[in-house]
Amino acid sequence: MSLELMQQQMTSQMEFWRKSIGWPNDNSSYVFLARAVHAVGKSMFGSDWTGDEPCRDFLKALPVFPERSGWRAKLAHDLLVKHHPESNRQPRKPYQHSFEFTGNEWMAAVMIVKKHNEEQMPGFRRFAEVRDRIIKLAEAGLLITAIRDKAGGDPTPISRVWWNSERIRDRFDYCHLRPDDPYGLGIGSDPYQWIFVTRESLTSCAPDASAESEQASKSVATAPVAISSPEDPTKPPRRLAEAKIEPEFRRWREQQPEGYIPTEDEDIAHMKQLGVGRDKVRKLRKNFPTRGRGEKRSG
């Protein structure tokens, strides 16, 4: 797999976990698997569960000896360009496949990867433990799971044996599976279906999960959203306090994948969840990088 393809796949997975606005809705009986992950994480780790665990971009380690070509060489070059500008390396050209490194440059890239992974490891391990816990509970029949067409409809329970495999951890990349190939890698769109768990079994397996359900459903990329009450679903969300508007907008922008600039519509949609109007968003955008309608994203 090329470096570009690996980076695209990682970015896609991180965007899925960061932007819960694209997740399917829960109902009175079922909870989407991604929200269940956060509920189980809170149950297992309490306040140590930050919510961004599924978004950790763990890098593959570089070997000790330099390589001149291949994805490792490309990665090392890109890291040096970003973290060591004093090396005077230029961004690689679209079809550049060969690179030269001094011993010190290569070791600098090795250490960048090592330090990055050390910082990411605690969250990475928490997510791995939660994922494995869900798999064990589902395989034991204690956590009842189901699937639903992405277009809509009622979830349909699936057999616990679908969780008895060593090949299903990728199922958590996008929280979907393919009914005609349940042990596949989980890459693609149709005919994949969303995975849900029953609310009752989730509450049983993850104490206080129901109390954390609102927290679990939040995007890692968003701040607390004022949700309208079930009694009055037409009531607009309460507006975020004025002093918190710009910091929240800044946080929303900073959590975007490197190089990605949201469109005006995306900025407005995010802040609308916090009760902030489009006119205010347009004023905020003047202090941040922007791209016009139809302009290709930079990431």
Side-chain angles (χ1 to χ4, degrees), residues 138-156:
E139 192 279 328
L142 299 175
L143 187 66
I144 309 302
T145 56
I147 54 176
R148 195 209 78 183
D149 285 339
K150 291 193 173 182
D154 291 331
T156 302

Side-chain angles (χ1 to χ4, degrees), residues 24 31 38 52 79 91-92 97 101 120 162-163 184 190 196 216 235 249 254-256 261 275 291:
V31 177
H38 288 304
D52 68 347
L79 290 173
R92 56 187 167 91
H97 300 293
F101 301 95
Q120 300 294 312
W162 282 18
W163 294 92
D190 293 337
F196 286 79
K235 184 179 179 181
F249 188 78
E254 289 177 349
Q255 62 82 34
Q256 298 297 323
I261 300 176
R291 62 187 174 101

Side-chain angles (χ1 to χ4, degrees), residues 14-259:
M14 293 174 69
E15 287 182 348
F16 167 80
W17 280 99
R18 282 173 170 156
K19 299 181 178 179
S20 63
I21 193 171
W23 295 353
N25 295 328
D26 299 341
N27 62 29
S28 60
S29 301
Y30 290 93
V31 177
F32 183 49
L33 179 60
R35 298 187 182 98
V37 165
H38 288 304
V40 174
K42 277 291 183 181
S43 178
M44 291 177 64
F45 297 103
S47 60
D48 288 338
W49 182 263
T50 63
D52 68 347
E53 283 82 355
C55 301
R56 302 301 174 98
D57 55 336
F58 203 73
L59 300 176
K60 292 186 177 181
L62 294 175
V64 175
F65 298 103
E67 296 186 6
R68 297 181 59 184
S69 62
W71 70 264
R72 295 181 185 86
K74 290 181 179 180
L75 175 61
H77 176 81
D78 290 350
L79 290 173
L80 291 172
V81 169
K82 180 178 180 179
H83 296 281
H84 287 279
E86 72 279 4
S87 66
N88 294 321
R89 302 181 75 91
Q90 300 301 311
R92 56 187 167 91
K93 299 176 181 178
Y95 298 102
Q96 183 176 356
H97 300 293
S98 180
F99 304 86
E100 295 290 340
F101 301 95
T102 66
N104 287 337
E105 286 176 333
W106 184 264
M107 286 309 300
V110 169
M111 295 308 297
I112 292 171
V113 172
K114 185 175 184 294
K115 180 180 179 181
H116 173 84
N117 288 347
E118 287 175 349
E119 293 173 348
Q120 300 294 312
M121 183 58 74
F124 185 83
R125 285 176 174 165
R126 286 195 297 273
F127 180 43
E129 290 184 37
V130 168
R131 181 189 61 200
D132 291 345
R133 174 70 172 164
I134 289 176
I135 291 174
K136 290 177 181 178
L137 290 168
E139 192 279 328
L142 299 175
L143 187 66
I144 309 302
T145 56
I147 54 176
R148 195 209 78 183
D149 285 339
K150 291 193 173 182
D154 291 331
T156 302
I158 60 176
S159 172
R160 68 172 187 79
V161 301
W162 282 18
W163 294 92
N164 187 14
S165 173
E166 295 74 36
R167 299 182 55 196
I168 57 177
R169 287 175 175 80
D170 290 336
R171 191 173 289 178
F172 291 83
D173 290 346
Y174 302 101
C175 296
H176 66 188
L177 62 79
R178 183 169 172 167
D180 62 349
D181 184 21
Y183 307 115
L185 294 178
I187 300 174
S189 53
D190 293 337
Y192 286 89
Q193 297 189 15
W194 295 126
I195 304 173
F196 286 79
V197 304
T198 65
R199 192 177 296 275
E200 182 179 5
S201 67
L202 176 60
T203 302
S204 175
C205 293
D208 300 324
S210 59
E212 298 291 348
S213 59
E214 185 174 343
Q215 171 68 24
S217 65
K218 295 173 185 173
S219 166
V220 175
T222 60
V225 177
I227 304 297
S228 302
S229 65
E231 293 78 12
D232 186 8
T234 62
K235 184 179 179 181
R238 181 179 300 173
R239 192 174 191 267
L240 194 67
E242 185 68 29
K244 296 181 179 180
I245 292 177
E246 184 171 355
E248 163 54 28
F249 188 78
R250 181 178 301 279
R251 193 176 68 82
W252 151 254
R253 280 305 195 90
E254 289 177 349
Q255 62 82 34
Q256 298 297 323
E258 183 177 354

